[in-house]
Amino acid sequence: MICESTGVYHRRLLRIAEQLGMLTNLVHGEAVAKCRAIQFADHGKTDRRDPKAALTVAKVGKLIKHRKLPGRYAQLRELHRLVLRCENRIRETKRELHADLRALFPDFRLRKAVLYGPTGKALIDGFGANPIAILAAGKETFAAKMKQASKYIRKATIEKIWAAASDVAEGDRDPDDAIIADIRSTGVRQLYAAICESKRNQNELEKQMQTLYTELQATDPRLPSPCKGVVTLRMLSRLVAEIGPPDDFTTINQLMRYAGLNLCERQSGNWKGRTMISRRGRSELRYVLNLMSIPLVSQGRLFSEYYHGKKDAGKMPGQKALTCVMRKILKMFFGWYKSGRPFDSDRVFAQANSPAAAT
């Protein structure tokens, strides 16, 4: 049984095929579409043409393995799907929150670290970030409540918020404006509470993932352990959730293709186009690798010299240099796992063909 990956429908079909004792594989939808155009010499698409094109793709050996993750790996993948959902909700809710804050408190300027820390929570829980409510409380009461809720808030921050509230609220003399501001502050409180709730849910899910990863390490000691300054247990659990059993991949090239980080060249005669990554694999895996790479390129970290060498000396755009780091991290993980050795930073940039050389 071969079919395209179409979401829930293909999963049900393959499950039934497996129950009937059939072998199952997938074919890439893009490969089928291009093969159909070649086979029928036009861009028409029908239910009669699709199976023929899919069969042609299969005959030339361009099949995708239908992976069925075992036990804890499947649980890890499902938990990570929920973590990604929480992160998406947090991003969407933050966009709404910032839009409402601009409407309610135009002169409100706090760094994100402060806004989503104790100071921001105190301001929104206590006053709804409403400048009219802040002024109505009075400066001394406002300062006292903020210090009570946020122990380490700076006096300068309190002065900054008070001055901004004064600039906004002094111009709002219409009673209707105060009512509208109160309604908006209710919306701000709701959005902020939703963000906090999603963060709590994400933390709980990630704790479950870390527990599962530790259990997997007990059955497969080659799975890497956290290493200070390189990778945390949290990120290892997220990475393996998207990779699945590393033994499913015999070469690093297979893993690169699975991640969509394999390189695609464009060249004809003397013309040479840009070399880019394929982006055909798991976008979730690339997302996790991107999260891992960002802290590792800061000054003094593992990939700082490698990243800045490509970005500054090599005149490479920052995102492209970061993609190189993502590929390097994936190679590092693969070699680290295959070697079964403890992490050795001196071997990360070793140029050799063996998998262990990547560690």
Side-chain angles (χ1 to χ4, degrees):
M1 169 69 70
I2 59 169
C3 65
E4 295 180 43
S5 175
T6 55
V8 292
Y9 300 107
H10 89 275
R11 291 173 188 165
R12 186 177 179 186
L13 177 64
L14 293 179
R15 186 167 60 251
I16 294 171
E18 286 177 341
Q19 290 171 354
L20 295 173
M22 303 173 70
L23 298 176
T24 56
N25 274 296
L26 298 170
V27 285
H28 200 291
E30 184 180 1
V32 172
K34 290 183 177 179
C35 183
R36 186 176 60 236
I38 295 170
Q39 194 168 352
F40 297 100
D42 61 43
H43 294 287
K45 172 180 168 59
T46 66
D47 289 340
R48 288 179 175 272
R49 288 185 173 189
D50 284 352
K52 294 178 181 179
L55 182 59
T56 303
V57 172
K59 284 180 178 178
V60 298
K62 299 301 180 182
L63 292 171
I64 301 172
K65 181 180 178 181
H66 174 222
R67 295 180 78 202
K68 188 174 181 181
L69 299 180
R72 290 189 179 92
Y73 284 101
Q75 296 170 31
L76 204 59
R77 173 72 63 84
E78 191 63 20
L79 284 169
H80 193 235
R81 184 181 69 84
L82 298 180
V83 167
L84 293 173
R85 179 188 292 176
C86 286
E87 289 183 336
N88 287 332
R89 284 179 178 171
I90 289 169
R91 279 194 293 270
E92 291 170 6
T93 310
K94 280 183 176 181
R95 282 195 290 268
E96 294 179 16
L97 175 65
H98 294 166
D100 282 8
L101 281 173
R102 283 194 297 271
L104 175 64
F105 201 164
D107 293 335
F108 182 71
R109 295 291 184 272
L110 283 181
R111 292 182 293 109
K112 290 182 181 180
V114 178
L115 176 60
Y116 296 107
T119 298
K121 182 171 172 49
L123 182 65
I124 291 174
D125 287 349
F127 302 93
N130 184 349
I132 297 174
I134 291 171
L135 286 188
K139 189 172 183 180
E140 290 184 4
T141 303
F142 169 69
K145 285 187 175 181
M146 290 295 291
K147 286 179 180 177
Q148 184 180 6
S150 179
K151 184 177 179 181
Y152 298 104
I153 188 172
R154 296 178 178 178
K155 185 177 178 180
T157 303
I158 294 175
E159 292 290 342
K160 180 181 177 181
I161 296 171
W162 179 264
S166 301
D167 291 342
V168 174
E170 283 178 359
D172 293 334
R173 302 298 183 185
D174 192 335
D176 289 341
D177 290 341
I179 296 171
I180 291 171
D182 190 51
I183 294 170
R184 285 174 176 167
S185 68
T186 301
V188 165
R189 283 193 178 99
Q190 291 174 348
L191 290 171
Y192 198 86
I195 291 170
C196 294
E197 180 64 23
S198 293
K199 285 183 176 179
R200 282 193 294 269
N201 292 340
Q202 181 182 344
N203 290 336
E204 287 300 319
L205 291 167
E206 287 180 343
K207 286 178 183 177
Q208 294 180 48
M209 290 180 66
Q210 291 167 36
T211 301
L212 271 176
Y213 184 82
T214 305
E215 292 173 1
L216 283 170
Q217 279 187 304
T219 59
D220 186 357
R222 290 180 298 167
L223 283 171
S225 296
C227 183
K228 187 176 180 181
V230 179
V231 64
T232 61
L233 180 60
R234 172 177 173 263
M235 293 313 300
L236 277 172
S237 64
R238 296 189 67 170
L239 182 64
V240 173
E242 290 305 322
I243 291 176
D247 269 337
D248 285 356
F249 305 93
T250 55
T251 67
I252 184 59
N253 289 336
Q254 289 179 343
L255 186 53
M256 284 291 178
R257 293 184 71 86
Y258 184 72
L261 289 172
N262 54 303
L263 300 179
C264 296
E265 295 184 77
R266 294 175 59 83
Q267 179 270 332
S268 178
N270 294 327
W271 175 80
K272 188 173 181 180
R274 290 191 300 168
T275 299
M276 304 174 69
I277 59 171
S278 69
R279 296 180 184 274
R280 291 293 186 272
R282 286 192 68 81
S283 59
E284 296 89 349
L285 178 50
R286 293 197 299 275
Y287 171 73
V288 173
L289 288 167
N290 186 65
L291 290 180
M292 293 176 68
S293 65
I294 291 172
L296 291 178
V297 299
S298 57
Q299 195 67 34
R301 299 297 294 274
L302 182 62
F303 290 103
S304 174
E305 188 176 344
Y306 178 78
Y307 170 78
H308 289 286
K310 287 187 172 294
K311 184 172 178 284
D312 301 332
K315 306 296 182 183
M316 187 179 285
Q319 187 55 51
K320 190 172 181 180
L322 203 62
T323 302
C324 293
V325 175
M326 290 163 59
R327 283 172 50 85
K328 202 73 176 172
I329 290 172
L330 196 57
K331 289 179 182 178
M332 179 185 75
F333 172 83
F334 185 75
W336 192 356
Y337 174 82
K338 290 293 184 180
S339 70
R341 303 176 187 176
F343 179 79
D344 183 358
S345 60
D346 294 334
R347 296 176 63 85
V348 171
F349 301 99
Q351 298 296 322
N353 293 324
S354 63
T359 58

